[in-house]
């Protein structure tokens, strides 16, 4: 399902999140043989994580564009662009260990997302700019900064360049991208280890919080006064597509719920590790994700020690009450004040990692069962 009149959205609730980035068609090749055709785009991976973790999924608005050829059903209908096709990526993998892990090519691209595509007079507490194919323009990002109190930006959407002949994706420096002047207004900037050299992390960390993901090594959070390396969750990588998007979805969900930055980054690592173990878009069990998130560090640890089952639907509401207490203790208070962000590792951070690692085993079993079904 798609929508044709973006100007006539219902007005969003007062506390809400805006996620911007086009849906895509992804075709995965291994040794030049098609192994999968899946739904792609950062919005699809983010929603697969963010929606189950959200206490009010209806409070999240998605702005995406697709063409008439869009072939997937999604929970958040995109805007139809009748004059352009859906963005199409080809991802090429090789069995040879010495070759690059992935060569990504943009075969077709949909129309960009424009400031006029946003709801009239809309205001959001949080915003995520998650472009993959150049669909977010500088003026679009500037508009997001105007209407979102706190903006998270995936730098891949700002620094990707596309070969005019075959669409091969390359990277350019942020300073020459056309977006650099907006950096002081961005609250969080996420980059992969491959993208970080094009950002100048040392400069960027003086202007905003920079989170650099590094695959199996977890991630590092940089801010003006310090940095933290956040532990990973070991995973057998099958397909890296969407790992950064899933990380961002988990990270933002954690901050929206009031977790301190290190705990939110740990949740992002957890979500990213689940994604790389599958080809294409993973199918998460929403009840599992909700329960694992709401358990929090001390609550889930208590369940493990006392031998309670990790997945217990009736328990999730009691656990949510406990998380409210945790939110009050470690609230990020994202109100535009630098001292409101909690960058120091809170008590129980290491236990939170241990309990999520235990939860990951159960989640992996659930996902495999869903795939078999």
């Amino acid at each position: 399902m798609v929508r044709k009149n973006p100007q006539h959205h219902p007005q969003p609730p007062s506390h809400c999140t805006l996620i911007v980035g086009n849906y895509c068609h992804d075709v995965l090749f291994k040794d030049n043989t098609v192994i999968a055709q899946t739904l792609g785009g950062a919005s699809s991976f983010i929603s697969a994580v963010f929606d189950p973790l959200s206490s009010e999924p209806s409070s999240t608005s998605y702005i995406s564009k697709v063409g008439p050829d869009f072939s997937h059903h999604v929970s958040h209908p995109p805007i139809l662009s009748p004059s352009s096709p859906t963005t199409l990526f080809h991802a090429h993998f090789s069995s040879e260990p010495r070759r690059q892990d992935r060569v990504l090519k943009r075969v077709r691209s949909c129309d960009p997302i424009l400031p006029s595509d946003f709801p009239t007079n809309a205001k959001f507490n949080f915003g995520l700019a998650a472009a993959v194919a150049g669909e977010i323009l500088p003026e679009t990002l500037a508009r997001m900064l105007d209407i979102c109190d706190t903006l998270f930006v995936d730098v891949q959407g700002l620094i990707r360049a596309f070969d005019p002949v075959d669409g091969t994706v390359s990277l350019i420096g942020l300073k020459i991208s056309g977006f650099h002047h907006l950096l002081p207004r961005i609250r969080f900037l996420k980059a992969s280890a491959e993208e970080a050299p094009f950002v100048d992390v040392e400069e960027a960390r003086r202007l905003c919080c920079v989170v650099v993901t590094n695959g199996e090594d977890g991630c590092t959070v940089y801010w003006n006064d310090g940095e933290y390396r956040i532990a990973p969750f070991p995973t057998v990588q099958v397909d890296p597509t969407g790992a950064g998007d899933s990380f961002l979805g988990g990270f933002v969900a954690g901050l929206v719920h009031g977790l301190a930055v290190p705990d939110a980054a740990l949740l992002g690592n957890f979500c990213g590790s689940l994604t790389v173990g599958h080809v294409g878009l993973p199918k998460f069990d929403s009840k599992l994700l909700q329960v694992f998130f709401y358990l929090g560090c001390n609550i889930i640890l208590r369940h493990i020690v006392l031998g309670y089952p990790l997945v217990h639907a009736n328990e999730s509401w009691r656990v949510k009450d406990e998380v409210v207490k945790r939110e009050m203790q470690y609230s990020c208070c994202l109100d535009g004040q630098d001292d409101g962000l909690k960058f120091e590792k809170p008590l129980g951070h290491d236990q939170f990692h241990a309990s999520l690692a235990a939860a990951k085993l159960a989640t992996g079993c659930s996902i495999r069962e869903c795939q078999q079904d």
Side-chain angles (χ1 to χ4, degrees):
M1 183 172 68
V2 296
R3 46 190 166 87
K4 299 181 180 181
N5 298 311
Q7 296 290 341
H8 297 94
H9 296 302
Q11 288 305 303
S14 57
H15 296 281
C16 49
T17 303
L18 173 67
I19 298 174
V20 178
N22 284 350
Y23 291 114
C24 306
H25 291 158
D26 284 352
V27 181
L28 280 60
F29 296 81
K30 188 170 185 179
D31 299 328
N32 296 319
T33 300
V34 175
I35 60 173
Q37 300 184 48
T38 70
L39 171 66
S43 291
S44 62
F45 286 93
I46 289 173
S47 63
V49 171
F50 195 86
D51 289 355
L53 292 177
S54 176
S55 58
E56 297 182 27
S58 62
S59 68
T60 305
S61 299
Y62 288 75
I63 305 294
S64 302
K65 285 186 177 179
V66 299
D69 60 330
F70 187 60
S71 58
H72 297 277
H73 173 77
V74 292
S75 300
H76 305 278
I79 299 169
L80 175 63
S81 294
S83 60
S84 68
T86 301
T87 299
L88 171 64
F89 277 99
H90 286 179
H92 294 266
F93 300 86
S94 174
S95 299
E96 299 180 20
R98 293 185 178 181
R99 294 187 62 181
Q100 184 178 348
D101 286 344
R102 179 182 68 166
V103 175
L104 192 62
K105 297 184 177 182
R106 186 187 70 177
V107 180
R108 295 193 297 268
S109 60
C110 195
D111 289 334
I113 298 169
L114 304 175
S116 59
D117 293 318
F118 296 134
T120 305
N121 299 323
K123 293 291 292 184
F124 300 88
N125 294 99
F126 306 95
L128 283 77
V132 295
E135 66 267 30
I136 293 181
L137 307 175
E139 55 266 35
T140 306
L141 189 64
R143 178 59 180 160
M144 291 187 70
L145 287 162
D146 290 338
I147 64 177
C148 299
D149 295 332
T150 299
L151 188 65
F152 304 79
V153 177
D154 192 336
V155 79
Q156 71 175 359
L158 313 186
I159 64 173
R160 278 185 172 180
F162 308 93
D163 186 278
V165 177
D166 66 359
T168 298
V169 177
S170 60
L171 301 175
I172 61 173
L174 181 60
K175 289 184 178 179
I176 62 172
S177 67
F179 293 91
H180 185 263
H181 67 288
L182 298 173
L183 190 59
R185 299 177 60 195
I186 294 171
R187 198 64 181 277
F188 290 89
L189 187 71
K190 175 258 170 190
S192 68
E194 179 186 9
E195 296 159 347
F198 296 85
V199 173
D200 190 348
V201 173
E202 289 305 312
E203 177 199 36
R205 69 189 293 182
R206 294 194 293 269
L207 302 172
C208 64
C209 177
V210 181
V211 183
V212 177
T213 58
N214 196 20
E216 62 184 12
D217 293 324
C219 69
T220 304
V221 179
Y222 299 90
W223 69 100
N224 189 37
D225 298 325
E227 62 188 67
Y228 270 132
R229 180 182 176 274
I230 308 300
F233 294 87
T235 297
V236 176
Q237 178 172 295
V238 177
D239 176 14
T241 305
D245 306 320
S246 296
F247 168 89
L248 190 58
F251 177 64
V252 175
L255 291 178
V256 168
H257 281 276
L259 294 186
V261 173
D263 277 0
L266 194 61
L267 185 63
N269 282 349
F270 172 74
C271 295
S273 72
L274 294 179
T275 296
V276 300
H278 308 85
V279 174
L281 189 68
K283 296 180 180 179
F284 294 135
D285 186 311
S286 60
K287 290 183 179 179
L288 278 174
L289 280 178
Q290 286 173 350
V291 171
F292 293 151
F293 177 71
Y294 287 137
L295 284 176
C297 66
N298 295 322
I299 307 305
I300 192 171
L301 185 63
R302 186 174 67 190
H303 276 60
I304 294 172
V305 171
L306 296 179
Y308 296 159
L310 282 173
V311 182
H312 195 305
N314 293 331
E315 185 69 7
S316 62
W317 297 109
R318 299 181 191 173
V319 170
K320 186 173 180 181
D321 291 338
E322 295 291 342
V323 168
V324 171
K325 299 176 184 177
R326 178 175 171 82
E327 291 173 4
M328 293 175 64
Q329 184 176 0
Y330 300 120
S331 175
C332 286
C333 299
L334 296 178
D335 58 2
Q337 301 297 322
D338 290 340
D339 58 1
L341 290 172
K342 304 298 182 183
F343 287 101
E344 298 299 319
K345 287 184 180 179
L347 295 175
H349 178 83
D350 292 336
Q351 290 90 335
F352 190 30
H353 179 270
S355 51
L356 282 176
K360 184 174 181 293
L361 296 177
T363 306
C365 294
S366 175
I367 293 174
R368 285 193 293 273
E369 291 172 359
C370 289
Q371 290 178 327
Q372 291 172 356
D373 291 342

